[in-house]
């Protein structure tokens, strides 16, 4: 008599696997808990329902009264701050690592109206040495919160920077604080007034032991094309043809390094410098006489985007409190389906051979 032994190491197909699983589950219906516990755990997990398997039954209730003492906290894993053997990828220094857009209500001193509390978006980063796995990011926030009740100045920002350089054992660090600064402005002729809001950022950078204080401002204005103005006047003079020059909402991003030993450069000071350079700032409160005045003001100050960059430059050069600076201007054309842009840099702080590919896309003002 011949006895045929099945080949157990043969690879089953899908149908055979499904049949085997069905046989297992049918067997489990009549099996005892002890019999199931004796199965290999990987097999037992294939049995549906509440069958006893080699897997703990975890508590699903939140333990509100659980207290974490120092001993327990010492047992918690800390993968991000682990040894260099855990580094993935190249063991290379990282210039910036940290957190962006954590928000706080912070108090700032103004030139004309005393302290003012503003919602502020904060970015904090440090450099990371090549042999370190990572940083404890929450320490940046904790360091900053120590100073959150103070009236902010660059001195307070420096104290916050000192704290998280020490906490994170880093050699370079940066803080940037962004907020919308309100300033009341008068209408041109009607005697009304309203609040204009300016996007401002304060930045403190420490690199190789050298600190730089930087202020950024977005200034929004109207730009009337000089060429279009001349062509419109030509049509009126030679053919009696009514024509209007094109003008458009425009944005200049002004970035200035503040001299370490100079007197305070107030937010209002930088805004007023921009107004002296390009007086056609967009308006808040407007009646008919103001609208006419704005048309006259634009006609008196037609500018190409190159003119705008140089006019801002002239004002920045005249302020002894300002060191290096950069002017980025974008005229969002009503004639063309593209924008006219310019970048003017003085000094090494903002010099770069490459621009962010989406830089000019960020120079849109949304009312």
């Amino acid at each position: 008599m011949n006895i045929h032994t099945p080949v157990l190491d043969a690879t089953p197909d899908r149908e055979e696997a499904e049949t085997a699983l069905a046989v297992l589950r049918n067997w489990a219906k009549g099996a005892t808990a002890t019999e199931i516990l004796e199965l290999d755990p990987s097999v037992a997990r294939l049995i549906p329902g509440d069958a006893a398997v080699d897997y703990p039954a975890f508590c699903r209730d939140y333990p509100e009264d659980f207290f974490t003492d120092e001993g327990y906290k010492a047992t918690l894993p800390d993968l991000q701050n682990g040894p260099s053997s855990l580094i993935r990828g190249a063991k290379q220094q990282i210039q910036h690592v940290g957190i962006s857009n954590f928000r706080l209500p912070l108090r700032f001193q103004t030139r004309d109206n005393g302290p003012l509390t503003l919602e502020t978006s904060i970015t904090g980063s440090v450099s990371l040495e090549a042999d370190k796995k990572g940083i404890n990011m929450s320490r940046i926030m904790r360091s900053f919160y120590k100073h959150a009740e103070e009236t902010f100045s660059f001195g307070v920002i420096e104290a916050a920077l000192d704290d998280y350089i020490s906490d994170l054992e880093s050699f370079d660090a940066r803080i940037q604080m962004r907020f919308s600064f309100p300033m009341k402005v008068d209408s041109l002729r009607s005697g009304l007034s309203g609040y204009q809001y300016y996007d401002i950022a304060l930045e403190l950078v420490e690199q190789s032991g050298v600190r730089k204080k930087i202020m950024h401002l977005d200034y929004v204005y109207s730009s009337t094309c000089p060429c279009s103005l001349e062509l419109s006047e030509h049509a009126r003079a030679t053919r009696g043809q009514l024509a209007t020059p094109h003008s458009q909402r425009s944005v200049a991003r002004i970035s200035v390094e503040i001299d370490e030993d100079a007197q305070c450069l107030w937010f209002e000071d930088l805004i007023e410098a921009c107004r002296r350079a390009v007086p056609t700032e967009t308006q808040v409160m407007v009646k008919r006489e103001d609208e006419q005045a704005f048309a006259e003001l634009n006609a008196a100050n037609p500018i190409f985007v190159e003119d705008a960059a140089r006019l801002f430059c002239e004002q920045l050069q005249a302020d002894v409190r300002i060191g290096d600076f950069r002017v980025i201007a974008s005229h969002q054309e009503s004639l063309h389906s593209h924008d006219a842009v310019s970048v003017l840099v003085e000094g090494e702080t903002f010099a770069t051979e490459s621009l962010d590919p989406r830089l000019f896309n960020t120079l849109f003002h949304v009312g």
Side-chain angles (χ1 to χ4, degrees):
M1 181 175 67
N2 294 326
I3 298 176
H4 297 281
T5 303
V7 182
L8 297 178
D9 60 352
T11 302
D13 58 24
R14 181 183 179 87
E15 184 178 350
E16 290 171 325
E18 290 176 347
T19 300
L21 180 60
V23 170
L24 172 65
R25 290 176 172 175
N26 283 332
W27 170 82
K29 291 176 182 178
T32 66
T34 301
E35 289 175 321
I36 292 176
L37 283 172
E38 291 174 349
L39 291 172
D40 184 287
S42 62
V43 175
R45 292 189 185 101
L46 299 174
I47 299 173
D50 297 326
V53 296
D54 185 21
Y55 194 73
F58 291 114
C59 175
R60 293 180 178 271
D61 295 327
Y62 177 70
E64 294 186 11
D65 58 349
F66 180 71
F67 174 74
T68 56
D69 58 21
E70 292 302 319
Y72 180 82
K73 286 188 281 188
T75 69
L76 295 174
D78 190 4
L79 180 63
Q80 183 66 357
N81 293 286
S84 59
S85 59
L86 296 177
I87 293 175
R88 301 185 65 187
K91 290 188 177 181
Q92 183 74 21
Q93 176 188 334
I94 299 177
Q95 285 72 37
H96 292 265
V97 60
I99 56 178
S100 175
N101 198 34
F102 79 88
R103 292 180 292 173
L104 286 172
L106 296 180
R107 190 167 60 250
F108 295 90
Q109 186 66 37
T110 68
R111 186 191 67 186
D112 301 331
N113 297 299
L116 183 65
T117 298
L118 302 171
E119 179 184 323
T120 305
S121 170
I122 301 165
T123 295
S125 68
V126 295
S127 55
L128 182 65
E129 296 178 46
D131 61 350
K132 288 187 178 180
K133 165 68 175 170
I135 68 167
N136 187 326
M137 302 227 178
S138 67
R139 287 186 181 179
I140 294 178
M141 288 185 65
R142 295 201 301 269
S143 297
F144 213 90
Y145 263 84
K146 293 177 186 177
H147 306 274
E149 299 303 318
E150 301 181 56
T151 299
F152 267 73
S153 64
F154 270 110
V156 178
I157 301 173
E158 286 193 274
L161 193 77
D162 287 336
D163 284 349
Y164 78 72
I165 286 179
S166 175
D167 288 346
L168 295 168
E169 300 178 343
S170 183
F171 48 92
D172 291 343
R174 302 145 203 92
I175 289 177
Q176 185 182 92
M177 303 165 57
R178 294 185 294 110
F179 49 88
S180 185
F181 177 68
M183 188 171 175
K184 186 169 280 189
V185 295
D186 296 329
S187 60
L188 292 174
R189 287 179 181 156
S190 65
L192 300 175
S193 63
Y195 281 100
Q196 189 80 276
Y197 283 82
Y198 300 89
D199 290 337
I200 292 178
L202 301 180
E203 188 172 16
L204 180 65
V205 179
E206 177 166 326
Q207 190 169 19
S208 302
V210 177
R211 287 189 174 176
K212 293 186 176 182
K213 302 173 183 177
I214 296 168
M215 186 187 303
H216 306 272
L217 164 70
D218 279 10
Y219 179 72
V220 185
Y221 58 100
S222 174
S223 58
T224 294
C225 174
C227 182
S228 181
L229 178 60
E230 292 297 322
L231 292 172
S232 297
E233 290 305 302
H234 180 273
R236 290 170 182 262
T238 61
R239 296 186 287 117
Q241 175 63 50
L242 180 63
T244 59
H246 76 84
S247 59
Q248 51 274 321
R249 185 182 292 179
S250 305
V251 180
R253 181 162 297 155
I254 310 297
S255 301
V256 301
E257 181 188 355
I258 301 172
D259 188 278
E260 180 68 28
D261 300 319
Q263 294 181 340
C264 177
L265 178 69
W266 296 98
F267 308 143
E268 296 96 329
D269 293 340
L270 190 56
I271 292 167
E272 288 173 357
C274 290
R275 289 178 184 162
R276 290 192 298 271
V278 179
T280 52
E281 181 179 20
T282 54
Q283 301 294 295
V284 181
M285 300 295 286
V286 175
K287 296 182 74 173
R288 283 181 297 173
E289 59 266 38
D290 300 312
E291 186 168 357
Q292 184 182 65
F294 194 60
E296 295 172 15
L297 186 63
N298 271 270
N301 294 276
I303 49 171
F304 294 116
V305 74
E306 302 92 331
D307 301 324
R310 289 171 172 150
L311 287 165
F312 289 121
C313 172
E314 182 179 43
Q315 290 296 319
L316 299 176
Q317 286 177 330
D319 195 322
V320 296
R321 296 169 294 181
I322 294 174
D324 294 351
F325 61 81
R326 178 183 61 204
V327 177
I328 305 172
S330 175
H331 290 189
Q332 289 142 33
E333 296 277 343
S334 61
L335 170 64
H336 303 291
S337 56
H338 55 262
D339 303 331
V341 297
S342 65
V343 179
L344 187 156
V345 176
E346 180 162 304
E348 295 300 318
T349 299
F350 304 102
T352 178
E353 295 181 1
S354 174
L355 294 176
D356 182 335
R358 301 189 65 82
L359 169 65
F360 297 111
N361 292 356
T362 69
L363 267 71
F364 280 90
H365 174 77
V366 179

